[in-house]
Amino acid sequence: MPADPSPVPIGTITAFAGRLDVSWLRPQGWLYCDGAELDEADYPALHAVIGGNYGAGNGRFRLPDLRGRFARGVDLGAGRDPYANTRAPSGRGGLAGNNPGSAQDWYTAPPGTAFSVDGGGDHTHPVEHMPADTTGAAVAGSHYGIWQDSRWTWDTGAHTHYIDAGGDAETRPINTYVYFVIKFDG
């Protein structure tokens, strides 16, 4: 009679909230997802499952490297990832495109519709440190000349302000750090 299968299949990746102690995790059949290169002969069951998805060559293969990354389900035609077919291999010899092991950098799209702020009718804008005449005393020590007083623009009439650019280096949900580990042995 065949042995009972492991309740956790080899190749399963899960979040781990404890202290990262690889000498404690390894005897339990888990490895840290840090992109390490492993010998196929030392981890035959894991290699049989993930193969070279995350990089491979010369009898070796790589673990997923999930440090600082969010895991994302493969699109498989669902149309939720507009960049599915442009994804790059996460390691040399790994899979690209709409496959496990592919990776992509961040994308931040501009807003579909520009944000606007109602101007509220005729108004003026402050322009800090703009000289009113040639007698203003410049303050030294900055990367640009600044004057010690501010002026206002002329009446600009009623208009609306738009915010259609800017943003951060990435778009991400609120998050908490965990370690990702992968099951290599039953």
Side-chain angles (χ1 to χ4, degrees), residues 3 8 16 18 35 175-176:
V8 179
F16 179 70
N175 62 82
T176 299

Side-chain angles (χ1 to χ4, degrees), residues 86-173:
T86 63
R87 297 172 64 89
S90 57
R92 188 178 58 225
L95 298 178
N98 197 14
N99 292 294
S102 65
Q104 65 185 182
D105 286 330
W106 55 268
Y107 288 95
T108 303
T113 304
F115 301 110
S116 66
V117 178
D118 184 7
D122 291 345
H123 61 278
T124 59
H125 297 269
V127 179
E128 293 185 30
H129 314 299
M130 183 176 79
D133 56 40
T134 59
T135 63
V139 176
S142 178
H143 64 283
Y144 58 91
I146 55 175
W147 279 259
Q148 296 177 356
D149 55 357
S150 296
R151 298 291 177 243
W152 291 83
T153 61
W154 300 105
D155 183 4
T156 56
H159 63 274
T160 303
H161 298 264
Y162 293 94
I163 304 168
D164 60 1
D168 295 316
E170 66 179 358
T171 301
R172 65 179 172 260

